[in-house]
């Protein structure tokens, strides 16, 4: 069985919009898709937004992860790229805590969680001096974005905001209906998708066929949502279901004015051969462009793998073969073939797979495994990005934390 024991990779695997748990029912009149919509005015600053996920967080100078080795008490680990050392920040009790997100403001790491049955919502602040403070939240709060001022739960019909300084939780009604998913952050705005339909989307169990019928004639609209002004700006729209059913498109990230998408096409008539194509949408010009593509190798299927720096897309793994990675550089438009060793189910291999780009021009990669409390965990190493793309393996080993 193939697997990649790469816990840090979750921070970079933003390959599709996160689907909302349920599509909200529209009000009697919905704002026109082609114009900006205004909701309740917000009264707070918004900084550089970042997307939040449960297991890992990366700043460019360090990463924080929960290893999930199967123990009731799991450590939260921080890897300092400059020092090349991984240390433990604290332990968390997974018998009572379900991870929601990890994020950071200033030098404080914030770990959000809820309890079994979602009866308690809380976040744990881990200070630079090692002190830990647990604070409960008065209502359901699943943050999916954050900046230097607050954490945000943009979901369903509302934008909830938890202020870092005051701990105050505020709620604003979103200025649109039928949220489909959240894709990522672009500066101080959130790229999201919503369903634009002539009739409201049916809800509840037993309405799946009716829902599918409505979606067949609906649009998926990409919008930029500004939490500071509580407004949206249309980027583009497309049929909710692609005309070519063998085609799957996912959002990978942005760089400058371009949004990048990975398109996977499977040809069932040709022994299920697959092609991965990277395309971009220029928000200024309103035009699409094909950047590059990679064909399947040996009939295998491989997801795109985006690598970000300062929130922007810099490098994409187009294809993962059995011993070679095909990568594309957003910066120079060049394509690279890099050797790697696939991760095995018996804790073998798992070498030279890219994890994160650092602010000092290096790249974090896997370097086999270590034993941590009787469980195999990915070992990491650092290498100059240019040397890595040239095929070098002159690693600087990371000093991994072990119990």
């Amino acid at each position: 069985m193939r697997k990649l024991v790469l816990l840090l990779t979750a921070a970079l695997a933003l390959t599709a919009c996160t689907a909302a748990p349920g599509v909200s029912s529209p009000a009697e009149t919905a704002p026109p898709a082609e114009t900006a919509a205004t909701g309740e005015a917000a009264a707070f600053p918004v900084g550089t937004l970042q997307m939040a996920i449960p297991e890992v967080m990366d700043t460019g100078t360090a990463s924080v992860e929960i290893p999930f080795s199967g123990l009731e008490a799991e450590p939260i680990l921080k890897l300092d790229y400059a020092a090349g050392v991984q240390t433990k920040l604290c332990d968390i009790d997974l018998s009572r805590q379900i991870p929601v997100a990890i994020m950071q403001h200033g030098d404080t790491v914030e770990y959000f969680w809820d309890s079994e049955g979602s009866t308690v919502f809380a976040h744990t602040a881990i200070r630079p001096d090692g002190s830990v403070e647990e604070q409960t939240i008065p209502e359901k709060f699943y943050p999916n974005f954050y900046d230097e001022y607050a954490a945000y739960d943009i979901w369903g019909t509302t934008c909830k905001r938890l202020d870092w300084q005051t701990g105050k939780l505020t709620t604003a009604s979103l200025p649109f209906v039928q949220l489909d998913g959240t894709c990522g952050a672009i500066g101080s705005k959130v790229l999201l998708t919503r369903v634009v339909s002539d009739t409201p989307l049916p809800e509840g169990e037993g309405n799946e066929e009716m829902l599918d019928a409505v979606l067949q004639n609906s649009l998926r609209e990409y919008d930029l949502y500004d939490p500071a002004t509580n407004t949206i700006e249309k980027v583009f729209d497309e049929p909710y279901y692609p005309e070519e059913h063998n085609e799957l498109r996912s959002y990978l990230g942005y760089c400058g004015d371009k949004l990048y998408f990975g398109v996977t096409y499977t040809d069932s008539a040709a022994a299920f051969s697959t092609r991965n194509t990277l395309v971009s949408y220029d928000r200024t010009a309103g035009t699409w462009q094909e950047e590059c593509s990679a064909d399947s190798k040996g009939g295998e299927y491989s997801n795109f793998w985006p690598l970000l720096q300062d929130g922007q897309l810099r490098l994409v793994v187009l294809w993962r073969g059995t011993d070679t990675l095909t990568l594309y550089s957003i910066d120079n438009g060049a394509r690279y073939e890099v050797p790697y060793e696939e991760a095995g189910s018996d804790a073998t291999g798992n070498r030279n797979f890219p994890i994160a780009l650092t602010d000092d021009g290096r790249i974090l990669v896997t370097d086999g495994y270590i034993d941590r409390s009787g469980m195999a965990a990915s070992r990491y190493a650092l290498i100059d990005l240019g040397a890595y793309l040239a095929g070098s393996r002159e690693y600087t080993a990371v000093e991994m934390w072990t119990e």
Side-chain angles (χ1 to χ4, degrees):
M1 180 185 71
R2 274 199 189 123
K3 67 175 182 178
L4 286 176
V5 188
L6 309 174
L7 292 172
L8 272 176
T9 53
L12 304 166
L14 304 177
T15 56
C17 295
T18 303
V23 181
S24 57
S25 297
E28 292 185 1
T29 57
E34 54 278 343
T35 60
T38 304
E40 302 168 14
F44 50 75
V46 177
T48 301
L49 292 170
Q50 299 184 65
M51 203 167 193
I53 54 178
E55 298 93 356
V56 67
M57 178 271 302
D58 185 272
T59 65
T61 59
S63 60
V64 178
E65 67 167 305
I66 304 173
F68 291 108
S69 56
L71 304 175
E72 283 194 353
E74 291 280 5
I76 295 182
L77 304 176
K78 181 177 182 178
L79 170 55
D80 184 291
Y81 296 149
V85 176
Q86 185 183 61
T87 56
K88 183 175 78 169
L89 296 180
C90 67
D91 285 310
I92 59 175
D93 182 4
L94 290 183
S95 67
R96 71 181 185 94
Q97 300 175 355
I98 300 174
V100 171
I102 297 178
M103 55 193 70
Q104 180 171 322
H105 58 95
D107 293 325
T108 299
V109 173
E110 297 278 358
Y111 160 60
F112 282 81
W113 54 274
D114 70 351
S115 63
E116 189 72 32
S118 299
T119 57
V120 176
F121 299 90
H123 65 110
T124 300
I126 308 165
R127 312 294 184 191
D129 61 4
S131 62
V132 176
E133 180 184 2
E134 185 176 298
Q135 298 178 339
T136 59
I137 304 172
E139 60 185 82
K140 182 173 72 174
F141 188 71
Y142 294 129
N144 47 0
F145 293 92
Y146 66 98
D147 61 18
E148 56 266 43
Y149 303 109
Y152 304 82
D153 178 356
I154 301 171
W155 216 240
T157 61
T158 62
C159 173
K160 297 180 181 179
R161 180 183 185 272
L162 183 71
D163 190 279
W164 294 132
Q165 296 297 320
T166 66
K168 183 180 179 181
L169 185 67
T170 56
T171 300
S173 297
L174 291 175
F176 54 85
V177 296
Q178 299 186 161
L179 175 65
D180 182 52
T182 53
C183 302
I186 300 181
S188 62
K189 298 180 181 180
V190 172
L191 180 67
L192 52 80
T193 60
R194 64 191 186 96
V195 178
V196 179
S197 59
D198 292 333
T199 58
L201 297 180
E203 296 181 335
E205 295 183 4
N207 290 319
E208 288 80 9
E209 290 187 7
M210 185 179 298
L211 173 63
D212 185 69
V214 175
L215 291 177
Q216 290 283 355
N217 298 293
S218 299
L219 296 175
R220 175 186 282 111
E221 180 174 298
Y222 286 79
D223 297 298
L224 285 175
Y225 169 63
D226 187 347
T229 59
N230 203 28
T231 59
I232 59 170
E233 174 189 353
K234 178 180 175 180
V235 181
F236 69 90
D237 60 32
E238 61 183 6
Y240 191 85
Y241 289 132
E243 296 179 3
E244 177 54 70
H245 294 290
N246 290 335
E247 181 179 293
L248 174 66
R249 185 165 76 182
S250 55
Y251 174 73
L252 300 177
Y254 83 101
C255 186
D257 287 334
K258 286 188 174 183
L259 307 179
Y260 289 86
F261 297 82
V263 180
T264 297
Y265 177 80
T266 303
D267 186 356
S268 58
F272 290 96
S273 64
T274 304
R275 165 169 288 192
N276 280 353
T277 302
L278 180 69
V279 299
S280 64
Y281 177 78
D282 190 312
R283 290 189 291 141
T284 301
T287 56
W288 289 91
Q289 177 178 327
E290 179 177 320
E291 302 289 339
C292 61
S293 63
D295 291 323
S296 62
K297 300 172 182 177
E300 297 178 350
Y301 174 76
S302 175
N303 287 324
F304 291 87
W305 200 259
L307 292 125
L308 312 180
Q309 189 174 50
D310 293 329
Q312 300 198 49
L313 187 65
R314 297 298 182 188
L315 198 65
V316 179
V317 177
L318 295 173
W319 196 268
R320 173 170 54 86
T322 55
D323 56 9
T324 305
L325 300 174
T326 302
L327 299 101
Y328 177 80
S329 171
I330 301 297
D331 292 333
N332 60 18
R335 178 174 171 146
Y336 302 89
E337 301 289 331
V338 175
Y340 94 113
E341 296 175 40
E342 189 175 45
S345 59
D346 55 350
T348 59
N350 191 36
R351 298 182 189 277
N352 217 40
F353 194 90
I355 304 299
L357 299 174
T358 69
D359 286 348
D360 61 6
R362 295 182 294 169
I363 186 168
L364 183 72
V365 299
T366 55
D367 187 21
Y369 294 92
I370 61 168
D371 181 276
R372 182 179 288 147
S373 302
M375 300 291 292
S378 290
R379 183 194 302 274
Y380 304 120
L382 290 156
I383 183 173
D384 175 79
L385 177 58
Y388 171 79
L389 294 176
S392 173
R393 292 197 183 184
E394 295 182 1
Y395 297 149
T396 298
V398 168
E399 182 182 323
M400 305 292 294
W401 175 86
T402 56
E403 191 74 63

